[in-house]
Amino acid sequence: MQTLPFAILAIVCYLAAGAWQALALARRVPPRTILVRSLGLLAVSAHTVVVAHSVFLGRGLHLGLFESASLFTWLIAALLIAVSLVKPLLNVGVGLFPLAALTLVALMLYPSHMVEANVSPGIVFHIVTSSVASALLSIAAVQAVLVAFQNHALKHRHTRGIIQVLPALTSMERLLFELIGAGLLLLTAAIISGFIFIDNLFAQHLVHKTVFSLAAWLVFTGLLIGRHWLGWRGARAMRWTLGGCLLLVLGYFGTKVALQLIFHDI
């Protein structure tokens, strides 16, 4: 398999980046932002080759379960590396870098042959906006867990360990809601473009995606309203963020899981 060496390189670099950041959070090793970012960038570069050959090679788009998962985590990792240049976001790589490695392992072991042909520019725009929105909101979900943990520790006056490494709570919360705001904006564009460019979003094979996406949009909108008017934060913000992210994942991957892993149709 011609992409296997690139997949192995990406997996090793993702795991190394995630492990170093985890050890830095545990204060076992000194923080090395440049090292973690460099490992992540190398992993994303190798992952790009895998995505190009598994998803975009040939006619149409190859969007089986693990091809889609690999594309999704590649986008998350790429966004994480890019945003970390201007925002203190590398800490979420503790969970997201190993996840990207896991999807690559699954892709190498269980490739599919599902092809979506005749993809119009409008559909491509819909796919891109929905994918970037989901990636940003997934990053926000991990950020929300860190914020909730930090908020709980500070309330109970636990100021050692990971708390000493994380940025100030106000900065962490501000970044969380910036991610949610950007993700919600793109999710709105994805939903609107879906209604414009897709013939029937409530057709049998699309209805679950539409319903879950609309439900997620309502959850994230409700969270931002609660934040603005009621001052929601901490554990409540984490629950709403994780709930919205779970709805998006169920909407996007639910049918693919059923078809590929249960019914073996693709």
Side-chain angles (χ1 to χ4, degrees):
M1 185 181 297
Q2 59 183 336
T3 59
L4 183 58
F6 293 97
I8 293 173
L9 175 61
I11 290 167
V12 171
C13 290
Y14 277 136
L15 293 178
W20 189 278
Q21 195 63 26
L23 290 171
L25 285 175
R27 297 179 63 82
R28 300 294 179 86
V29 297
R32 291 285 187 268
T33 300
I34 295 177
L35 173 64
V36 173
R37 189 180 290 121
S38 298
L39 286 169
L41 182 59
L42 182 57
V44 168
S45 299
H47 198 165
T48 301
V49 177
V50 178
V51 167
H53 281 77
S54 62
V55 177
F56 298 104
L57 190 63
R59 295 183 178 180
L61 298 176
H62 297 253
L63 292 174
L65 172 60
F66 297 121
E67 286 80 6
S68 298
S70 177
L71 174 63
F72 183 60
T73 56
W74 167 78
L75 185 57
I76 288 176
L79 284 172
L80 175 55
I81 295 298
V83 176
S84 73
L85 293 172
V86 293
K87 299 287 185 179
L89 199 61
L90 273 184
N91 288 322
V92 303
V94 169
L96 295 177
F97 286 147
L99 177 63
L102 181 62
T103 62
L104 280 169
V105 172
L107 176 60
M108 294 299 102
L109 294 176
Y110 304 106
S112 79
H113 303 287
M114 180 182 180
V115 179
E116 295 188 14
N118 301 320
V119 181
S120 67
I123 299 298
V124 171
F125 176 80
H126 169 72
I127 292 173
V128 170
T129 53
S130 59
S131 297
V132 177
S134 298
L136 282 173
L137 293 170
S138 296
I139 294 172
V142 181
Q143 179 76 359
V145 173
L146 290 176
V147 168
F149 175 82
Q150 187 177 19
N151 188 60
H152 179 270
L154 291 175
K155 281 185 176 179
H156 291 81
R157 299 183 180 181
H158 298 156
T159 57
R160 295 185 178 275
I162 186 175
I163 300 302
Q164 295 176 299
V165 181
L166 293 173
L169 180 59
T170 53
S171 299
M172 293 281 286
E173 287 185 333
R174 187 184 311 114
L175 178 55
L176 168 63
F177 286 99
E178 286 175 355
L179 289 167
I180 293 173
L184 181 61
L185 182 63
L186 286 167
L187 181 60
T188 303
I191 292 172
I192 293 173
S193 64
F195 278 104
I196 293 174
F197 297 114
I198 298 176
D199 291 337
N200 183 8
L201 274 178
F202 292 96
Q204 185 174 4
H205 67 295
L206 291 175
V207 64
H208 74 285
K209 294 181 181 179
T210 305
V211 170
F212 278 116
S213 295
L214 290 172
W217 186 90
L218 290 173
V219 168
F220 286 116
T221 300
L223 173 57
L224 291 183
I225 291 173
R227 165 69 172 176
H228 181 74
W229 292 104
L230 302 174
W232 287 358
R233 56 185 298 184
R236 177 172 290 173
M238 179 192 70
R239 289 193 295 268
W240 279 67
T241 305
L242 293 180
C245 188
L246 178 61
L247 289 170
L248 286 178
V249 171
L250 288 174
Y252 191 74
F253 291 105
T255 296
K256 294 182 185 295
V257 170
L259 289 175
Q260 187 163 333
L261 298 185
I262 299 176
F263 299 109
H264 306 288
D265 284 347
I266 57 177

